[in-house]
Amino acid sequence: MNNAQLHQHISDAILAHLTWVRKADHLISGLPVKEGSIPLDPNACKFGKWLKKEGLILKKIEHLTDIIEIIEHHHQDLHAAYAIIYEIYFYIPKHRSTLNKLFSFQFDDITQEDKEEASIYFEDLKRSSEYLVSSMKLLNTQVKDLNYSDLLELK
């Protein structure tokens, strides 16, 4: 893999991450979001898949190890925040009928208090996302400066 390919893959990973965050924002904003369309598992989202494949490869280069670990940390943090948001929005409220529970998701069933709590966790998620994206941009800068011997380590 050459520098240009690495650069493109990092840019694609950032875009995949921002798309994931936008879907979480849609949920918080009350737009319809299908349960399961925003992966809970950090390894299941497109960014997580990039991180577990190419991120691990890049981690082999000694001077990239720290930045990859920072990215992993922020990625875990934002998924932890989303797990709480997911629980708030996709739990089955006790006051709904059994038939309603089986066939619908009602945004209105979520209390104002729950919405406010979810908003707080979404702020945490956005903060982790901002750190993740800035770390990815730093990684992209460092990847552009890789020399031939560094690229050989990736094989």
Side-chain angles (χ1 to χ4, degrees):
M1 190 172 308
N2 63 37
N3 292 49
Q5 291 169 316
L6 288 170
H7 171 69
Q8 184 60 52
H9 291 186
I10 291 169
S11 296
D12 291 347
I14 292 171
L15 181 61
H17 164 72
L18 292 173
T19 300
W20 182 93
V21 172
R22 189 172 35 256
K23 287 180 184 178
D25 185 36
H26 289 172
L27 179 63
I28 293 291
S29 300
L31 297 173
V33 174
K34 243 174 109 174
E35 185 173 355
S37 67
I38 310 168
L40 272 171
D41 180 353
N43 299 315
C45 68
K46 287 182 183 179
F47 183 86
K49 290 175 182 177
W50 173 87
L51 194 56
K52 290 298 174 194
K53 184 179 177 189
E54 290 186 41
L56 284 178
I57 293 169
L58 290 172
K59 205 172 178 179
K60 293 177 185 178
I61 298 174
E62 188 175 330
H63 64 277
L64 298 180
T65 301
D66 289 344
I67 191 72
I68 296 291
E69 288 176 355
I70 289 168
I71 292 166
E72 290 170 335
H73 170 77
H74 292 302
H75 186 236
Q76 290 294 327
D77 281 355
L78 68 89
H79 274 275
Y82 179 68
I84 296 167
I85 294 167
Y86 181 91
E87 187 176 305
I88 291 168
Y89 280 87
F90 289 110
Y91 78 105
I92 300 175
K94 293 179 183 172
H95 64 279
R96 287 172 39 198
S97 71
T98 304
L99 193 58
N100 189 275
K101 290 175 193 177
L102 291 173
F103 294 108
S104 71
F105 163 72
Q106 299 293 326
F107 185 78
D108 295 338
D109 287 344
I110 298 163
T111 67
Q112 187 60 36
E113 184 179 305
D114 286 340
K115 290 176 187 177
E116 289 169 6
E117 181 182 3
S119 291
I120 291 167
Y121 282 102
F122 186 67
E123 289 304 315
D124 291 343
L125 185 152
K126 286 194 313 188
R127 193 170 19 265
S128 292
S129 174
E130 289 166 5
Y131 290 136
L132 185 147
V133 170
S134 65
S135 298
M136 287 291 287
K137 288 178 179 177
L138 177 60
L139 175 66
N140 215 0
T141 300
Q142 292 176 353
V143 162
K144 287 178 188 175
D145 296 333
L146 290 178
N147 59 41
Y148 182 72
S149 63
D150 290 331
L151 292 173
L152 287 177
E153 287 182 48
L154 299 178
K155 294 185 179 193

